[in-house]
Amino acid sequence: MLLPCAQMRPVAVKKLDDLLAAYEPKELLVQDIPKGRQVLVHKNGEKIEFYSRIGSKLSRHVKVIKGDFLSVEDNFVVIGSLTKEKTVFLFDMLELNDKEVIDLPTSERLACLQKTFSNNFDKIVIVQPQEFKILYSDGKLSIDTAFIKPKKSKFLINRSSRDEPVGEWYRYSNKDNIRDVIITSFYYG
């Protein structure tokens, strides 16, 4: 079984034009990033373990959600985001039934994830990928924060974004999507 990843950090995208210089829009998938703590979930038989992005074991935060993961027959290692509401939003799979799937293209790993978690769960949600070309307009994506993954890319374990910027996940943040605030009145003292 894979050990916790010490570096599950996607490349930050400064400009989408830079990404589009390397890929055609039809080659890219986008997954909306739910707010929460990034987690790696390991299931081996009746044993479930949760790790943070930097490899720290999480235990007290996850007792309420272990039941949903235990109901899955397969063994797995998946990556997700744990929210304050104790829901895990899954966005990629690294291992299935003691076999690494990191060398499979993104689209195939996501199909494995979808098949493994095909039941309805109370505390597990699959983050559905969307086509980049549908969400992209005027130099921006229509969502605020997202992972962008080339459909054919492998998952690169323990590589920082400086090691190999192409073929990994990309993190997009639409920081320009800030609303103006108009103060209509205030109370002083």
Side-chain angles (χ1 to χ4, degrees):
M1 192 166 257
L2 291 170
L3 297 174
C5 296
Q7 297 177 15
M8 295 189 325
R9 296 188 179 113
V11 178
V13 174
K14 303 258 191 267
K15 295 180 183 175
L16 288 176
D17 291 341
D18 295 342
L19 185 61
L20 292 174
Y23 298 100
E24 293 290 322
K26 66 182 179 184
E27 298 176 291
L28 300 170
L29 293 173
V30 178
Q31 288 177 299
D32 196 2
I33 302 174
K35 291 187 181 196
R37 177 182 224 173
Q38 195 170 0
V39 293
L40 200 64
V41 183
H42 290 233
K43 179 183 181 273
N44 190 4
E46 296 298 310
K47 187 176 181 181
I48 303 284
E49 295 179 320
F50 293 79
Y51 295 92
S52 71
R53 180 178 67 186
I54 59 170
S56 301
K57 196 169 184 180
L58 306 172
S59 57
R60 65 184 174 107
H61 301 293
V62 296
K63 290 179 183 173
V64 70
I65 56 177
K66 281 189 176 184
D68 274 0
F69 285 104
L70 284 171
S71 69
V72 176
E73 291 182 24
D74 297 320
N75 292 328
F76 55 80
V77 177
V78 292
I79 297 176
S81 182
L82 174 62
T83 66
K84 290 180 183 179
E85 296 79 22
K86 304 294 186 244
T87 299
V88 179
F89 289 84
L90 299 178
F91 41 82
D92 214 330
M93 178 171 270
L94 305 180
E95 190 174 291
L96 180 60
N97 292 323
D98 304 318
K99 182 182 174 194
E100 289 184 6
V101 295
I102 59 175
D103 288 331
L104 295 177
T106 296
S107 55
E108 290 181 38
R109 289 194 319 275
L110 294 177
C112 289
L113 182 68
Q114 190 72 40
K115 183 178 178 185
T116 303
F117 293 92
S118 61
N119 295 336
N120 290 328
F121 298 99
D122 292 333
K123 297 291 183 180
I124 302 173
V125 177
I126 304 292
V127 179
Q128 297 298 328
Q130 300 175 61
E131 293 289 328
F132 182 90
K133 60 187 175 187
I134 295 171
L135 300 172
Y136 180 72
S137 177
D138 298 326
K140 294 182 184 179
L141 290 176
S142 60
I143 53 180
D144 289 334
T145 54
F147 286 130
I148 303 171
K149 303 175 187 180
K151 292 178 184 179
K152 294 183 179 180
S153 69
K154 298 176 182 179
F155 188 93
L156 303 175
I157 294 282
N158 288 332
R159 299 252 182 117
S160 72
S161 59
R162 291 177 293 279
D163 290 340
E164 192 167 329
V166 176
E168 292 190 51
W169 296 6
Y170 297 86
R171 185 178 193 284
Y172 171 77
S173 179
N174 187 359
K175 292 184 180 181
D176 296 332
N177 192 13
I178 298 172
R179 308 283 189 262
D180 291 335
V181 177
I182 300 171
I183 300 173
T184 57
S185 66
F186 69 97
Y187 176 75
Y188 180 76

